[in-house]
Amino acid sequence: MNEKSYTELMKIGAMKRQRRENFVQELYIDMLLSEIQLTVEKEKLLKKIDCAIDHRDKKDFYFLSKQLIEINKRFGT
């Protein structure tokens, strides 16, 4: 005798859809923020690499290049 009415079932279905939509939306926002953070980090690093090249600083250039490789791995490129 624990049967639910059509209206109750529709409400439950709507709530489940809303939760799924919220989850997807949060996932998308998280991915977008991560990409923005990595892009900003990569741009700063590229500027530092350019500066190291301009100053002919091999030590910094190699160090920063290794960091760039790691960022590219995080980017998936």
Side-chain angles (χ1 to χ4, degrees), residues 33-65:
L33 290 174
S34 293
E35 184 173 348
I36 290 168
Q37 180 184 11
L38 283 171
T39 302
V40 168
E41 200 173 322
K42 187 175 180 178
E43 287 175 2
K44 286 180 181 179
L45 194 53
L46 287 171
K47 286 180 183 179
K48 288 180 181 180
I49 289 172
D50 287 343
C51 186
I53 291 171
D54 291 342
H55 290 98
R56 300 180 187 265
D57 188 343
K58 288 183 181 180
K59 183 179 173 184
D60 275 350
F61 174 77
Y62 288 127
F63 176 73
L64 295 168
S65 295

